[in-house]
Each structure stands twice: as C-alpha cells, then as structure tokens.
Amino acid sequence: MDDVSTLVTGGAGFLGSHLCDRLVAAGHDVLCIDNFYTGSRRNVAHLLGKPNFELQRHDVTFPLYVEVDRIFNLACPASPVHYQYDPVQTTKTSVHGAINMLGLAKRVKARMLQASTSEVYGDPDVKPQREDYWGRVNPIGIRSCYDEGKRCAETLMFDYHRQHALEIKVVRIFNTYGPRMHPNDGRVVSNFIVQALKGEEITIYGEGTQTRSFCYVDDLIEGMLRMMESPADFVGPVNIGNPGEFTMLELAELVLRLTGSRSKLTFRPLPADDPKQRCPDIGLAAERLGWAPTVSLEDGLKPTIAYFKSVLGA
Ligand SMILES: NC(=O)c1ccc[n+]([C@@H]2O[C@H](COP(=O)([O-])OP(=O)(O)OC[C@H]3O[C@@H](n4cnc5c(N)ncnc54)[C@H](O)[C@@H]3O)[C@@H](O)[C@H]2O)c1
C-alpha cells in the first residue's frame, strides 16, 4: 500500500481517527481533514509527528483541491444530540459534502468510499436488514436531517458512478462503539458507561426491551478497509455491523458488571422516531469481503470503559 495517498474527511472523529491509525500504519500518505465540530485534535495527536500524516482544518461543505488516490468520506456528526443541534448544517454536511468530495474524486480520478448508515433503513419493518431493503424513513422528523442527508449522499454516489464512471464504495455502518467515542454524545454505550463510572442513575428509554447490535470499532475499520480495496465492480451498499443483539437492559447489566458500579436504573419515555429494532444482515460482507466481526461485546467494552475512565479521571 506504499505511495497511496488517502484523504479521510471527518478524520479527527471517533471512527475517522481509528481509520487514520490503520492507514498510517499501513504506510499510506494520509491527509486528515476535519472542521472539529464533534472531532478533536486530541484523537489524532499521536499521529501528528508521523511523516505520512497531515491534519488540515476544512469544512466539507466547501470544495477542496488536493491530489489523492482514495477518499474515505466520514465527515458528519453521527449522534442525535450533535446532528440535531444544527439540522440544516447536518443536511448540508452530508449533501454538499458528498457533492464536493465526489467532484474532487472525479477531478483526480480517486476511488471514494462513503460512510453511510443503518439509519437509511429508518424504523424498519423487516429484520434483519439486508442491503436490498429500501427502508422506512420519516422525511420530516427530527432525525430526518441525518437519515435523508445520508440517503441523498448514497444517491449522489450512485449517480456519479453511473454518470461519470466514478469508482465508488458505499458502506452502511451499524452502531459502533469503542475508545474515542464522545463522552457526551448521548449514544447508549457512552451514556451507560459514563453514568456507571460517575455512579449516576443509568437512563433507560422505554422499557429497555428494544434491541441494538453493537460493533467494536476495530472490526468496523477492518470492514471499511476491505471494502475500499475490494474489486471495482463491487460498489455496495454493504452492511458492516455486528448482528449480535442485546436489549438495553442486557447492555446496562453488562456495563454495571464490568465497571463494578452500583448505579441504579431509571426509566424515561422513548424519544420520537426511535427505531425499535436494528440488526444487520452481514451475509453480503461475508461473501464479498470475507468479513465478519470478531470482538465480543464484553471484550470490546473493556477497552472502551478503560478509555472513558482515563477521560473522566474516574
Ligand atoms: N459511530 C457509529 O456508530 C456510526 C454509525 C453509522 C454511521 N456512522 C458514520 O460514520 C462517520 C463517522 O462517525 P463517528 O461516529 O466517527 O462520528 P464523529 O462525530 O466522532 O465524527 C464525525 C467527524 O466529522 C467531522 N465533521 C462534521 N461536520 C463536518 C464538516 N462539515 N466538515 C468537516 N468535518 C466535519 C466532525 O468534527 C468529526 O470529527 C459519520 O459519517 C457517521 O454518519 C457512524
């Protein structure tokens, strides 16, 4: 992989920083761009001295002129608290960001991978979700800026592919967790761990029987890298996630056990548009990428808890 020049947008975020780690270690020339909306220099500080890593402040809603071979487009706030804070900007980041990065890919003939999401399936009426399921998405709700922005970005990817023969790769990412998640991002794994470590009550929405699947970050990044280097005729979309399902109550109990916390559980009403179930069918990733997750929830939670301990000084 020597001499491959790779752009990572949103590279100072949770997933982006882990991706930069892997690419730098593999010898790519990595250009990481970020507007630091939810990401932070801290996440990539350890890479700053490396000769094959460069960090640049840039907002993907503006055009970028660089020479690269590969583009991983991850820029976009991913957690509801962050993407709902400025929903118009969220849609712009997904849509204008995709247009700008696709324009760049077309100019320099780069291959581009879009970090899409299981949210394109909305509140699904089939389970598990396969890539050929078109989704059940509310176009006017409070999550729509994210869901519809990501759907439109997928549309743009496929239109650039059909219209301009651009090499594209679309990955639909399911819930992923691990070190460098934002402690205040309101997502369930970080919420539970932070509450447990602080000895606060653990907030469960609804009755806690809704299920989620959780993918450890190392597994996810491996899937993204395999997708980027897969044969050009395989464009996706491909689900990357962990199909193991846990209820919110099961997750809370595991976090309590691993942190040794005595926090109590507290129950609140479900937020609007909260999907009741989300679980990937990863048959396509297994078949085309030879990929499957390898890290159990318990094994992934341990380093995640250790990270939050260091951040919180707990
Ligand atoms: N983490 C997950 O479980 C998950 C699930 C599905 C999809 N994704 C997708 O993966 C990508 C990365 O998610 P993450 O969990 O690392 O979130 P994150 O918020 O940690 O990372 C997003 C990064 O993008 C940057 N960013 C936001 N708007 C930008 C803009 N206009 N210009 C430049 N940079 C901008 C942020 O500062 C941040 O560094 C996102 O596109 C997200 O939609 C993540």
Side-chain angles (χ1 to χ4, degrees), residues 2-307:
D2 280 352
D3 299 329
V4 178
S5 182
T6 301
L7 170 65
V8 180
T9 79
F14 161 47
L15 299 181
S17 62
H18 286 275
L19 179 60
C20 287
D21 283 348
R22 285 287 301 271
L23 292 168
V24 166
H28 287 232
D29 244 326
V30 177
L31 173 59
C32 166
I33 67 151
D34 205 293
N35 70 350
F36 305 118
Y37 177 59
T38 49
S40 131
R41 274 185 202 77
R42 254 192 334 270
N43 287 338
V44 289
H46 57 288
L47 295 174
L48 288 175
K50 307 263 185 197
N52 57 336
F53 181 78
E54 192 182 343
L55 175 64
Q56 187 180 322
R57 180 191 286 269
H58 179 79
D59 189 315
V60 289
T61 60
F62 296 96
L64 179 70
Y65 298 94
V66 290
E67 298 293 323
V68 288
D69 308 301
R70 299 272 189 271
I71 302 172
F72 287 90
N73 190 33
L74 274 66
C76 185
S79 72
V81 271
H82 292 134
Y83 71 64
Q84 287 167 8
Y85 177 75
D86 187 348
V88 173
Q89 182 62 22
T90 299
T91 304
K92 278 188 187 167
T93 292
S94 276
V95 177
H96 292 192
I99 291 171
N100 287 325
M101 292 309 116
L102 283 160
L104 170 65
K106 181 174 167 237
R107 261 194 316 276
V108 300
K109 296 190 171 42
R111 178 180 281 200
M112 174 160 154
L113 180 146
Q114 170 68 13
S116 191
T117 169
S118 57
E119 302 285 336
V120 300
Y121 299 124
D123 191 1
D125 41 22
V126 303
K127 185 186 158 198
Q129 290 86 50
R130 268 176 33 160
E131 291 83 351
D132 55 7
Y133 176 59
W134 288 356
R136 200 168 78 91
V137 178
N138 176 359
I140 57 168
I142 57 170
R143 301 175 79 105
S144 311
C145 58
Y146 183 73
D147 302 6
E148 297 288 23
K150 288 287 188 178
R151 285 169 70 95
C152 185
E154 286 198 11
T155 307
L156 285 160
M157 292 286 286
F158 278 83
D159 282 333
Y160 266 77
H161 175 61
R162 282 184 289 256
Q163 200 174 328
H164 301 296
L166 202 82
E167 283 193 21
I168 61 153
K169 303 278 176 184
V170 175
V171 168
R172 291 185 179 152
I173 302 170
F174 284 66
N175 266 356
T176 301
Y177 69 97
R180 302 189 200 139
M181 285 182 94
H182 206 288
N184 305 321
D185 71 2
R187 286 190 265 189
V188 64
V189 174
S190 42
N191 265 6
F192 285 5
I193 296 177
V194 170
Q195 288 167 335
L197 290 176
K198 288 185 169 171
E200 294 170 356
E201 289 186 330
I202 297 203
T203 321
I204 309 251
Y205 293 100
E207 292 171 358
T209 51
Q210 70 275 39
T211 60
R212 288 288 185 277
S213 60
F214 303 100
C215 185
Y216 187 60
V217 60
D218 290 357
D219 281 335
L220 188 274
I221 300 300
E222 178 63 28
M224 281 176 92
L225 290 168
R226 285 191 192 199
M227 181 58 176
M228 180 59 113
E229 298 312 326
S230 65
D233 67 342
F234 182 50
V235 295
V238 62
N239 291 338
I240 302 285
N242 192 324
E245 280 188 284
F246 293 85
T247 66
M248 297 302 98
L249 284 175
E250 286 169 334
L251 176 68
E253 275 152 22
L254 190 51
V255 168
L256 285 176
R257 176 159 67 77
L258 294 175
T259 53
S261 166
R262 294 195 181 159
S263 293
K264 299 271 176 288
L265 307 185
T266 175
F267 293 83
R268 302 260 169 82
L270 271 183
D273 282 357
D274 194 49
K276 282 178 278 307
Q277 54 177 20
R278 207 51 97 37
C279 180
D281 181 321
I282 54 167
L284 188 62
E287 181 195 324
R288 298 301 304 263
L289 308 175
W291 177 88
T294 59
V295 182
S296 70
L297 184 57
E298 178 157 348
D299 285 348
L301 281 175
K302 288 175 187 162
T304 312
I305 289 168
Y307 169 77

